[in-house]
């Protein structure tokens, strides 16, 4: 049982069917946890929504904390996957503006609700689960890393002045994004997101020439 | 019972002893919810930690959601109370810098952990409880309002240029603060907070003359 659970941490060893079942469990858990919170989501909920049997679920996950860790990885993949194209092209001020427009539009279409799946998991888990916190931190690092790469490119091409610090600009931009999600969610209003991103982007723009 | 519970929404009607009991319940609930999450905190936990009897608790609160609403109000009072002096003096760039220094120092002393009590409540409750969401939004509005007042003053005294938009600058600053709390919590590192605030403050500084 323990060995099987261990194996679940390495999805590559699963058969195609096993991988599909595991993903169905993780996806259901991710949706439930995003909607009703991590703590409020029981294994019974996950079993019911994913249409998996209890023994099947325990074949892939030893306990809830293993599902939570898988949900963290899943959401990081989902969020960064959805932004992949925009992030890859955020290598100029106009590329960053397109990324900003897409986020503001998406936030507006939800009237600000739901927030960021990774940000919500971070708030719920960072103080209580060290494994989850580390995975979330790695997710933020990847996200910031994509922004950082684009900003570094902008300094190389001369769009940003040499004195600009791409690493700090990327941190400031990711923080603005996360704060924007949080305020927009509480206010059910995307304008907090727009202003938050524009604050960080105008700061970046001040280094253009 | 219902009338007594209703009365609890207006603490002024309570005797001094009643108000103290009510506050003890709310304070215990606030600490528990901040440490272990809103959903994971049961009324039994609150009863145990506050040293109140079950019937006493139900005298002041009809159900958990009423305690949650009281916790939201309590945390807004705590957070804004702790920053009151700094916010009142954030009427110049140097006043804003002192506010920033205090937050960075406090975040560093906790190695980034815990995040913002209001931000955490927002993330946990904004999509699930409309009463809580509205109270949290009012809390953010008050917080932003204090920053806005200081920035408006700075424009009046001429420290900020006329084209500066104090309302937007305040939103950007509060978003940076909330994003800073979130990243610092996930990374257990206050430098994300410092960079987040400096991004928004440098943007404000660009309007000084």
């Amino acid at each position: 049982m323990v060995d099987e659970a261990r194996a679940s941490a390495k999805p590559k060893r699963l058969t195609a069917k096993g991988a599909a079942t595991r993903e169905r469990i993780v996806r259901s858990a991710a949706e439930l946890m995003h909607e009703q919170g991590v703590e409020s989501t029981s294994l019974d909920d996950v079993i019911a929504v994913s249409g998996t049997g209890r023994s099947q679920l325990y074949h892939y996950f030893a306990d809830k904390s293993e599902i939570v860790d898988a949900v963290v990885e899943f959401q990081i993949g989902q969020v960064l996957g959805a932004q992949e194209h925009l992030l890859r092209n955020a290598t100029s001020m106009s590329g960053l503006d397109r990324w900003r427009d897409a986020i503001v539009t998406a936030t507006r279409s939800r009237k600000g609700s739901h927030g960021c799946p990774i940000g919500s998991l971070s708030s719920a888990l960072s103080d209580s689960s060290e494994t989850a916190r580390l995975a979330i931190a790695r997710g933020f690092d990847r996200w910031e890393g994509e922004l950082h790469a684009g900003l570094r490119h902008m300094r190389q091409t001369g769009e940003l002045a040499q004195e600009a610090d791409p690493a700090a600009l990327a941190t400031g931009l990711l923080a603005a994004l996360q704060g924007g999600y949080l305020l927009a969610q509480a206010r059910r209003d995307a304008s907090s997101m727009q202003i938050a991103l524009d604050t960080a982007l105008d700061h970046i723009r001040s280094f253009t020439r």
Side-chain angles (χ1 to χ4, degrees), chain A:
Chain A
M1 186 70 174
V2 170
D3 282 346
E4 283 169 358
R6 284 271 160 75
S8 76
K10 301 175 187 88
K12 279 169 213 159
R13 288 194 201 170
L14 299 176
T15 62
K17 198 180 157 199
T21 305
R22 187 183 184 279
E23 205 207 303
R24 200 169 69 238
I25 295 169
V26 174
R27 187 179 290 273
S28 301
E31 283 166 10
L32 284 164
M33 288 174 185
H34 190 48
E35 271 167 35
Q36 61 191 37
V38 175
E39 295 306 332
S40 309
T41 301
S42 67
L43 291 188
D44 285 340
D45 294 339
V46 177
I47 287 164
V49 169
S50 64
T52 339
R54 177 171 302 272
S55 63
Q56 244 183 324
L57 184 134
Y58 280 110
H59 176 75
Y60 297 104
F61 302 98
D63 53 25
K64 185 175 166 183
S65 76
E66 285 200 358
I67 297 187
V68 168
D69 291 345
V71 164
V72 168
E73 298 291 353
F74 174 81
Q75 291 289 29
I76 291 169
Q78 291 288 107
V79 171
L80 293 185
Q83 295 192 9
E84 190 179 4
H85 182 73
L86 289 159
L87 285 169
R88 203 186 312 131
N89 290 294
T91 51
S92 63
M93 215 56 233
S94 60
L96 281 169
D97 286 338
R98 281 193 298 274
W99 172 77
R100 170 253 189 227
D101 290 348
I103 290 168
V104 171
T105 303
T107 308
R108 192 170 288 136
S109 75
R110 298 191 310 262
K111 294 198 175 62
S113 69
H114 296 320
C116 170
I118 307 177
S120 305
L121 287 170
S122 178
S123 183
L125 295 166
S126 284
D127 284 345
S128 57
S129 162
E130 189 62 5
T131 335
R133 182 186 75 73
L134 288 168
I136 291 161
R138 280 195 304 272
F140 282 140
D141 288 350
R142 267 180 61 196
W143 206 343
E144 192 176 299
E146 305 260 6
L147 295 167
H148 185 184
L151 291 158
R152 215 165 36 216
H153 179 84
M154 287 168 68
R155 199 175 63 170
Q156 277 160 6
T157 59
E159 188 171 358
L160 284 187
Q162 283 306 308
E163 65 265 31
D165 177 352
L169 294 176
T171 304
L173 191 49
L174 184 61
L177 174 67
Q178 289 298 322
Y181 273 122
L182 200 100
L183 293 185
Q185 186 181 19
R187 290 172 163 162
R188 281 274 194 280
D189 179 4
S191 63
S192 293
M193 172 63 89
Q194 182 184 321
I195 294 168
L197 288 179
D198 286 346
T199 299
L201 288 173
D202 282 351
H203 179 60
I204 293 172
R205 221 178 301 274
S206 74
F207 290 98
T208 58
R209 29 188 207 166

